[in-house]
Amino acid sequence: MKTLFSLLIVTCFLIQVSDTVIYDFKEAKSTEGWYVVDDGVMGGLSKGSIKINDQGYAEYSGYVTTENNGGFSSVRYAFETTDVSDYSKIILRIKGDGKSYQFRIKESPYQRFSYIQNFISSGEWETIEIPLEEFYPYFRGYRLNRSNFSGQEMGEIAFLIGNKVKEEFRLEIESIWLR
């Protein structure tokens, strides 16, 4: 009981009243709406998957290979385009494997390019805060000559791994929210 109470206190401090949860895997107990896009769309051989693990977190895992011009795996979640102008940060509660990942935003699910920001996971549970204004436009491996994310609307989020090396990966995700 003491552990549950401590967890509730920690959760209350992490997610403030003014925050908006985009997705909470512990609450949803599902990966419904999330889908994997690997480099197979361009002939690559990388393979990612997402599931709810025994601890109740999303587990995005697999391997990336540069064979056959491959080199990335991503997991995405599209939702109705939403006004996010009252927020300034995206918050990720994750446990990675010490590897570098991208977090990606689209203003709508139909937008071709993404706004991205890289982060390196520590191997421990951590809360990563990324200012929305720091997300820059990116498409197929190239930074675009456009303004950074406007912070007005959001309609898709994604995690991507593509470090230009052959590697296995494992990223546990508890929740994603706006602050």
Side-chain angles (χ1 to χ4, degrees), residues 1 17 26-27 44 51 80 85 90 100 105-106 110 117-118 126-127 130 132 136 151 157 161-163 167 172 176:
M1 189 67 159
V17 176
K26 291 285 279 187
E27 181 73 26
K51 67 177 184 176
E80 188 173 321
S85 59
I90 194 96
S100 179
I105 295 172
K106 287 187 176 183
Y110 307 106
Q117 197 50 244
N118 294 300
E126 60 190 314
T127 303
I130 308 170
L132 292 174
Y136 57 89
I157 57 174
I161 184 165
N163 297 321
E167 62 185 345
E172 289 181 84
I176 302 149

Side-chain angles (χ1 to χ4, degrees), residues 91-153:
I91 314 292
L92 311 173
R93 180 77 179 141
I94 58 104
K95 179 182 180 184
D97 49 12
K99 294 182 172 74
S100 179
Y101 292 85
Q102 288 179 7
F103 189 76
R104 302 176 142 231
I105 295 172
K106 287 187 176 183
E107 292 169 332
S108 89
Y110 307 106
Q111 182 176 306
R112 289 187 50 120
F113 67 93
S114 297
Y115 293 96
I116 72 165
Q117 197 50 244
N118 294 300
F119 66 91
I120 298 174
S121 60
S122 70
E124 302 294 330
W125 279 106
E126 60 190 314
T127 303
I128 297 172
E129 296 187 17
I130 308 170
L132 292 174
E133 66 188 15
E134 292 183 6
F135 282 84
Y136 57 89
Y138 210 71
F139 185 67
R140 295 187 178 165
Y142 296 97
R143 187 170 183 159
L144 302 177
N145 186 20
R146 300 177 66 111
S147 298
N148 281 6
F149 180 61
S150 70
Q152 298 301 303
E153 293 184 326

Side-chain angles (χ1 to χ4, degrees), residues 25-116:
F25 290 98
K26 291 285 279 187
E27 181 73 26
K29 299 177 176 57
S30 168
T31 60
E32 185 175 341
W34 288 84
Y35 60 100
V36 173
V37 177
D38 294 324
D39 55 21
V41 297
M42 53 188 228
L45 303 172
S46 300
K47 183 74 174 154
S49 66
I50 188 167
K51 67 177 184 176
I52 298 296
N53 67 18
D54 293 341
Q55 292 75 41
Y57 303 111
E59 184 177 303
Y60 170 48
S61 61
Y63 62 89
V64 174
T65 178
T66 55
E67 291 178 44
N68 215 38
N69 295 318
F72 78 89
S73 177
S74 68
V75 63
R76 304 173 185 193
Y77 179 67
F79 48 93
E80 188 173 321
T81 299
T82 304
D83 179 351
V84 296
S85 59
D86 289 339
Y87 305 97
S88 63
K89 295 178 183 176
I90 194 96
I91 314 292
L92 311 173
R93 180 77 179 141
I94 58 104
K95 179 182 180 184
D97 49 12
K99 294 182 172 74
S100 179
Y101 292 85
Q102 288 179 7
F103 189 76
R104 302 176 142 231
I105 295 172
K106 287 187 176 183
E107 292 169 332
S108 89
Y110 307 106
Q111 182 176 306
R112 289 187 50 120
F113 67 93
S114 297
Y115 293 96
I116 72 165

